[in-house]
Amino acid sequence: MPLYKTIIHNSTTQILVWEITESLEELLGQVVLKEKTQLRLNKMKSEMHQRAFLSVRMLLKEAGYTDFELHYDEFGKPYFLDGKHVSITHSHHFSAIIISDETVGIDIEMQREKIIRIADKFVNENELNRLKSFDLQDYIKKLTVKWGAKEAIFKIRNEKGISFKDHIQVNPFEIRDKKTIAILEIENIKQQFSVHFEEFGGFALVYAFEK
């Protein structure tokens, strides 16, 4: 399937979303991979993971890049040499990338009741009690956005030792707001992030910028 969704956040930031419906063979026929990428692909045991990995390369092509222009630092964070910032995510049959002049992180998550079982691992008790006052679907959606926001911020900082529960707090929001603020506070660091989110097809797409 072609590109599922394009979001123009501002003049220097775009988000591209792919719905992964192609077979592995179809995707392989449409992208050219450098040797390092091909070796990484060959080591993947899950075909779904392989297809998601290749769909990201399709998104790069849509954005005017090739696999040869995408690099990873020693911590596994992707980057381009042209100075543009990039972040990558995939979940089930969706993948997405964000490309910006600003430092960014992105995450996509399926909205599932399963997230309730792990909520106390990434949300503190006071916030959890507040969220529980909402109806079940709103509760699930807000938990999913909070997880996505923390994942996006973690991708930006890319540092060991960050606790989603203890170090990253997301301000209260309504789903209709489509945005909120989050704060990372760890050791001598206190940093604010603007968080934006969208829903589609039972998924939440969340992306964050350093403020």
Side-chain angles (χ1 to χ4, degrees), residues 159-179:
E159 297 168 15
K160 289 182 179 179
I162 293 176
S163 162
F164 282 17
K165 181 176 180 176
D166 299 327
H167 300 142
I168 306 173
Q169 302 306 321
V170 181
N171 288 0
F173 61 87
E174 296 301 326
I175 294 297
R176 64 178 176 270
D177 296 340
K178 294 192 172 184
K179 63 181 180 179

PDB file of all heavy atoms in Angstrom, residues 159-179:
ATOM      1  N   GLU A 159      19.532   7.950  26.758  1.00  0.00           N
ATOM      2  CA  GLU A 159      20.478   7.737  27.853  1.00  0.00           C
ATOM      3  C   GLU A 159      20.016   6.602  28.763  1.00  0.00           C
ATOM      4  O   GLU A 159      18.819   6.440  29.002  1.00  0.00           O
ATOM      5  CB  GLU A 159      20.606   9.015  28.702  1.00  0.00           C
ATOM      6  CG  GLU A 159      21.175  10.198  27.941  1.00  0.00           C
ATOM      7  CD  GLU A 159      21.023  11.494  28.715  1.00  0.00           C
ATOM      8  OE1 GLU A 159      20.743  11.426  29.924  1.00  0.00           O
ATOM      9  OE2 GLU A 159      21.164  12.560  28.096  1.00  0.00           O
ATOM     10  N   LYS A 160      20.959   5.853  29.276  1.00  0.00           N
ATOM     11  CA  LYS A 160      20.636   4.810  30.239  1.00  0.00           C
ATOM     12  C   LYS A 160      20.257   5.450  31.570  1.00  0.00           C
ATOM     13  O   LYS A 160      20.679   6.550  31.895  1.00  0.00           O
ATOM     14  CB  LYS A 160      21.835   3.877  30.432  1.00  0.00           C
ATOM     15  CG  LYS A 160      22.116   2.990  29.231  1.00  0.00           C
ATOM     16  CD  LYS A 160      23.279   2.051  29.518  1.00  0.00           C
ATOM     17  CE  LYS A 160      23.547   1.145  28.316  1.00  0.00           C
ATOM     18  NZ  LYS A 160      24.693   0.232  28.561  1.00  0.00           N
ATOM     19  N   GLY A 161      19.448   4.735  32.346  1.00  0.00           N
ATOM     20  CA  GLY A 161      19.115   5.192  33.689  1.00  0.00           C
ATOM     21  C   GLY A 161      17.856   6.025  33.790  1.00  0.00           C
ATOM     22  O   GLY A 161      17.434   6.385  34.890  1.00  0.00           O
ATOM     23  N   ILE A 162      17.234   6.354  32.652  1.00  0.00           N
ATOM     24  CA  ILE A 162      16.004   7.140  32.702  1.00  0.00           C
ATOM     25  C   ILE A 162      14.830   6.207  33.012  1.00  0.00           C
ATOM     26  O   ILE A 162      14.597   5.228  32.321  1.00  0.00           O
ATOM     27  CB  ILE A 162      15.748   7.881  31.375  1.00  0.00           C
ATOM     28  CG1 ILE A 162      16.811   8.961  31.143  1.00  0.00           C
ATOM     29  CG2 ILE A 162      14.359   8.516  31.369  1.00  0.00           C
ATOM     30  CD1 ILE A 162      16.694   9.676  29.816  1.00  0.00           C
ATOM     31  N   SER A 163      14.100   6.541  34.080  1.00  0.00           N
ATOM     32  CA  SER A 163      12.904   5.787  34.458  1.00  0.00           C
ATOM     33  C   SER A 163      11.669   6.506  33.932  1.00  0.00           C
ATOM     34  O   SER A 163      11.465   7.684  34.219  1.00  0.00           O
ATOM     35  CB  SER A 163      12.821   5.667  35.978  1.00  0.00           C
ATOM     36  OG  SER A 163      11.512   5.317  36.398  1.00  0.00           O
ATOM     37  N   PHE A 164      10.849   5.811  33.155  1.00  0.00           N
ATOM     38  CA  PHE A 164       9.617   6.415  32.642  1.00  0.00           C
ATOM     39  C   PHE A 164       8.734   6.878  33.795  1.00  0.00           C
ATOM     40  O   PHE A 164       8.105   7.941  33.725  1.00  0.00           O
ATOM     41  CB  PHE A 164       8.846   5.405  31.792  1.00  0.00           C
ATOM     42  CG  PHE A 164       9.384   5.208  30.399  1.00  0.00           C
ATOM     43  CD1 PHE A 164      10.658   5.621  30.052  1.00  0.00           C
ATOM     44  CD2 PHE A 164       8.595   4.604  29.432  1.00  0.00           C
ATOM     45  CE1 PHE A 164      11.140   5.435  28.759  1.00  0.00           C
ATOM     46  CE2 PHE A 164       9.066   4.413  28.138  1.00  0.00           C
ATOM     47  CZ  PHE A 164      10.339   4.833  27.800  1.00  0.00           C
ATOM     48  N   LYS A 165       8.677   6.098  34.866  1.00  0.00           N
ATOM     49  CA  LYS A 165       7.796   6.393  35.994  1.00  0.00           C
ATOM     50  C   LYS A 165       8.336   7.523  36.864  1.00  0.00           C
ATOM     51  O   LYS A 165       7.589   8.421  37.263  1.00  0.00           O
ATOM     52  CB  LYS A 165       7.612   5.128  36.833  1.00  0.00           C
ATOM     53  CG  LYS A 165       6.684   5.296  38.032  1.00  0.00           C
ATOM     54  CD  LYS A 165       6.484   3.968  38.728  1.00  0.00           C
ATOM     55  CE  LYS A 165       5.564   4.087  39.926  1.00  0.00           C
ATOM     56  NZ  LYS A 165       5.297   2.770  40.546  1.00  0.00           N
ATOM     57  N   ASP A 166       9.622   7.489  37.149  1.00  0.00           N
ATOM     58  CA  ASP A 166      10.200   8.424  38.123  1.00  0.00           C
ATOM     59  C   ASP A 166      10.757   9.708  37.513  1.00  0.00           C
ATOM     60  O   ASP A 166      10.808  10.738  38.188  1.00  0.00           O
ATOM     61  CB  ASP A 166      11.320   7.730  38.902  1.00  0.00           C
ATOM     62  CG  ASP A 166      10.820   6.522  39.676  1.00  0.00           C
ATOM     63  OD1 ASP A 166       9.658   6.551  40.128  1.00  0.00           O
ATOM     64  OD2 ASP A 166      11.584   5.547  39.819  1.00  0.00           O
ATOM     65  N   HIS A 167      11.173   9.663  36.257  1.00  0.00           N
ATOM     66  CA  HIS A 167      11.907  10.801  35.696  1.00  0.00           C
ATOM     67  C   HIS A 167      11.163  11.586  34.615  1.00  0.00           C
ATOM     68  O   HIS A 167      11.547  12.708  34.302  1.00  0.00           O
ATOM     69  CB  HIS A 167      13.250  10.325  35.130  1.00  0.00           C
ATOM     70  CG  HIS A 167      14.137   9.684  36.154  1.00  0.00           C
ATOM     71  ND1 HIS A 167      14.927   8.595  35.887  1.00  0.00           N
ATOM     72  CD2 HIS A 167      14.337   9.985  37.460  1.00  0.00           C
ATOM     73  CE1 HIS A 167      15.587   8.243  36.982  1.00  0.00           C
ATOM     74  NE2 HIS A 167      15.241   9.069  37.946  1.00  0.00           N
ATOM     75  N   ILE A 168      10.121  10.994  34.035  1.00  0.00           N
ATOM     76  CA  ILE A 168       9.378  11.707  32.981  1.00  0.00           C
ATOM     77  C   ILE A 168       7.918  11.837  33.397  1.00  0.00           C
ATOM     78  O   ILE A 168       7.224  10.834  33.598  1.00  0.00           O
ATOM     79  CB  ILE A 168       9.447  10.973  31.616  1.00  0.00           C
ATOM     80  CG1 ILE A 168      10.896  10.699  31.202  1.00  0.00           C
ATOM     81  CG2 ILE A 168       8.746  11.823  30.535  1.00  0.00           C
ATOM     82  CD1 ILE A 168      11.028   9.836  29.945  1.00  0.00           C
ATOM     83  N   GLN A 169       7.455  13.071  33.538  1.00  0.00           N
ATOM     84  CA  GLN A 169       6.059  13.323  33.897  1.00  0.00           C
ATOM     85  C   GLN A 169       5.364  14.061  32.750  1.00  0.00           C
ATOM     86  O   GLN A 169       5.900  15.028  32.208  1.00  0.00           O
ATOM     87  CB  GLN A 169       5.970  14.153  35.180  1.00  0.00           C
ATOM     88  CG  GLN A 169       6.660  13.521  36.384  1.00  0.00           C
ATOM     89  CD  GLN A 169       6.196  12.096  36.664  1.00  0.00           C
ATOM     90  OE1 GLN A 169       5.014  11.779  36.540  1.00  0.00           O
ATOM     91  NE2 GLN A 169       7.132  11.216  37.021  1.00  0.00           N
ATOM     92  N   VAL A 170       4.188  13.570  32.395  1.00  0.00           N
ATOM     93  CA  VAL A 170       3.397  14.167  31.314  1.00  0.00           C
ATOM     94  C   VAL A 170       2.224  14.922  31.936  1.00  0.00           C
ATOM     95  O   VAL A 170       1.460  14.363  32.725  1.00  0.00           O
ATOM     96  CB  VAL A 170       2.874  13.083  30.345  1.00  0.00           C
ATOM     97  CG1 VAL A 170       2.079  13.720  29.211  1.00  0.00           C
ATOM     98  CG2 VAL A 170       4.034  12.258  29.785  1.00  0.00           C
ATOM     99  N   ASN A 171       2.086  16.197  31.597  1.00  0.00           N
ATOM    100  CA  ASN A 171       1.002  17.008  32.138  1.00  0.00           C
ATOM    101  C   ASN A 171      -0.368  16.448  31.738  1.00  0.00           C
ATOM    102  O   ASN A 171      -0.501  15.841  30.676  1.00  0.00           O
ATOM    103  CB  ASN A 171       1.110  18.451  31.648  1.00  0.00           C
ATOM    104  CG  ASN A 171       2.259  19.196  32.298  1.00  0.00           C
ATOM    105  OD1 ASN A 171       2.996  18.649  33.124  1.00  0.00           O
ATOM    106  ND2 ASN A 171       2.430  20.455  31.926  1.00  0.00           N
ATOM    107  N   PRO A 172      -1.400  16.674  32.574  1.00  0.00           N
ATOM    108  CA  PRO A 172      -2.758  16.234  32.223  1.00  0.00           C
ATOM    109  C   PRO A 172      -3.199  16.832  30.883  1.00  0.00           C
ATOM    110  O   PRO A 172      -2.826  17.959  30.535  1.00  0.00           O
ATOM    111  CB  PRO A 172      -3.607  16.780  33.376  1.00  0.00           C
ATOM    112  CG  PRO A 172      -2.663  16.874  34.528  1.00  0.00           C
ATOM    113  CD  PRO A 172      -1.352  17.293  33.919  1.00  0.00           C
ATOM    114  N   PHE A 173      -4.017  16.079  30.149  1.00  0.00           N
ATOM    115  CA  PHE A 173      -4.487  16.506  28.831  1.00  0.00           C
ATOM    116  C   PHE A 173      -5.791  15.796  28.513  1.00  0.00           C
ATOM    117  O   PHE A 173      -6.145  14.803  29.153  1.00  0.00           O
ATOM    118  CB  PHE A 173      -3.443  16.190  27.745  1.00  0.00           C
ATOM    119  CG  PHE A 173      -3.147  14.708  27.637  1.00  0.00           C
ATOM    120  CD1 PHE A 173      -3.905  13.872  26.824  1.00  0.00           C
ATOM    121  CD2 PHE A 173      -2.110  14.145  28.370  1.00  0.00           C
ATOM    122  CE1 PHE A 173      -3.643  12.515  26.747  1.00  0.00           C
ATOM    123  CE2 PHE A 173      -1.842  12.781  28.303  1.00  0.00           C
ATOM    124  CZ  PHE A 173      -2.609  11.963  27.482  1.00  0.00           C
ATOM    125  N   GLU A 174      -6.491  16.307  27.524  1.00  0.00           N
ATOM    126  CA  GLU A 174      -7.635  15.608  26.949  1.00  0.00           C
ATOM    127  C   GLU A 174      -7.238  15.123  25.558  1.00  0.00           C
ATOM    128  O   GLU A 174      -6.426  15.780  24.883  1.00  0.00           O
ATOM    129  CB  GLU A 174      -8.853  16.536  26.854  1.00  0.00           C
ATOM    130  CG  GLU A 174      -9.382  17.022  28.206  1.00  0.00           C
ATOM    131  CD  GLU A 174      -9.797  15.882  29.125  1.00  0.00           C
ATOM    132  OE1 GLU A 174     -10.285  14.852  28.619  1.00  0.00           O
ATOM    133  OE2 GLU A 174      -9.629  16.025  30.348  1.00  0.00           O
ATOM    134  N   ILE A 175      -7.792  14.022  25.123  1.00  0.00           N
ATOM    135  CA  ILE A 175      -7.433  13.467  23.812  1.00  0.00           C
ATOM    136  C   ILE A 175      -7.702  14.481  22.702  1.00  0.00           C
ATOM    137  O   ILE A 175      -6.938  14.590  21.736  1.00  0.00           O
ATOM    138  CB  ILE A 175      -8.187  12.139  23.548  1.00  0.00           C
ATOM    139  CG1 ILE A 175      -7.737  11.050  24.536  1.00  0.00           C
ATOM    140  CG2 ILE A 175      -7.985  11.673  22.112  1.00  0.00           C
ATOM    141  CD1 ILE A 175      -6.260  10.667  24.431  1.00  0.00           C
ATOM    142  N   ARG A 176      -8.767  15.245  22.846  1.00  0.00           N
ATOM    143  CA  ARG A 176      -9.100  16.235  21.806  1.00  0.00           C
ATOM    144  C   ARG A 176      -8.061  17.357  21.715  1.00  0.00           C
ATOM    145  O   ARG A 176      -7.978  18.052  20.701  1.00  0.00           O
ATOM    146  CB  ARG A 176     -10.483  16.837  22.063  1.00  0.00           C
ATOM    147  CG  ARG A 176     -10.597  17.628  23.350  1.00  0.00           C
ATOM    148  CD  ARG A 176     -11.972  18.254  23.529  1.00  0.00           C
ATOM    149  NE  ARG A 176     -12.090  18.934  24.816  1.00  0.00           N
ATOM    150  CZ  ARG A 176     -12.505  18.360  25.940  1.00  0.00           C
ATOM    151  NH1 ARG A 176     -12.860  17.079  25.914  1.00  0.00           N
ATOM    152  NH2 ARG A 176     -12.571  19.045  27.064  1.00  0.00           N
ATOM    153  N   ASP A 177      -7.251  17.541  22.774  1.00  0.00           N
ATOM    154  CA  ASP A 177      -6.235  18.603  22.773  1.00  0.00           C
ATOM    155  C   ASP A 177      -5.154  18.368  21.718  1.00  0.00           C
ATOM    156  O   ASP A 177      -4.587  19.311  21.164  1.00  0.00           O
ATOM    157  CB  ASP A 177      -5.554  18.701  24.143  1.00  0.00           C
ATOM    158  CG  ASP A 177      -6.496  19.114  25.257  1.00  0.00           C
ATOM    159  OD1 ASP A 177      -7.563  19.689  24.951  1.00  0.00           O
ATOM    160  OD2 ASP A 177      -6.166  18.852  26.425  1.00  0.00           O
ATOM    161  N   LYS A 178      -4.813  17.092  21.534  1.00  0.00           N
ATOM    162  CA  LYS A 178      -3.769  16.676  20.587  1.00  0.00           C
ATOM    163  C   LYS A 178      -2.374  17.194  20.942  1.00  0.00           C
ATOM    164  O   LYS A 178      -1.452  17.117  20.129  1.00  0.00           O
ATOM    165  CB  LYS A 178      -4.126  17.071  19.146  1.00  0.00           C
ATOM    166  CG  LYS A 178      -5.337  16.338  18.600  1.00  0.00           C
ATOM    167  CD  LYS A 178      -5.465  16.544  17.107  1.00  0.00           C
ATOM    168  CE  LYS A 178      -6.557  15.671  16.524  1.00  0.00           C
ATOM    169  NZ  LYS A 178      -6.637  15.779  15.058  1.00  0.00           N
ATOM    170  N   LYS A 179      -2.237  17.735  22.152  1.00  0.00           N
ATOM    171  CA  LYS A 179      -0.905  18.175  22.566  1.00  0.00           C
ATOM    172  C   LYS A 179      -0.858  18.324  24.084  1.00  0.00           C
ATOM    173  O   LYS A 179      -1.895  18.492  24.750  1.00  0.00           O
ATOM    174  CB  LYS A 179      -0.510  19.492  21.892  1.00  0.00           C
ATOM    175  CG  LYS A 179      -1.386  20.674  22.231  1.00  0.00           C
ATOM    176  CD  LYS A 179      -0.919  21.917  21.486  1.00  0.00           C
ATOM    177  CE  LYS A 179      -1.817  23.115  21.824  1.00  0.00           C
ATOM    178  NZ  LYS A 179      -1.363  24.342  21.128  1.00  0.00           N
TER     179      LYS A 179
END
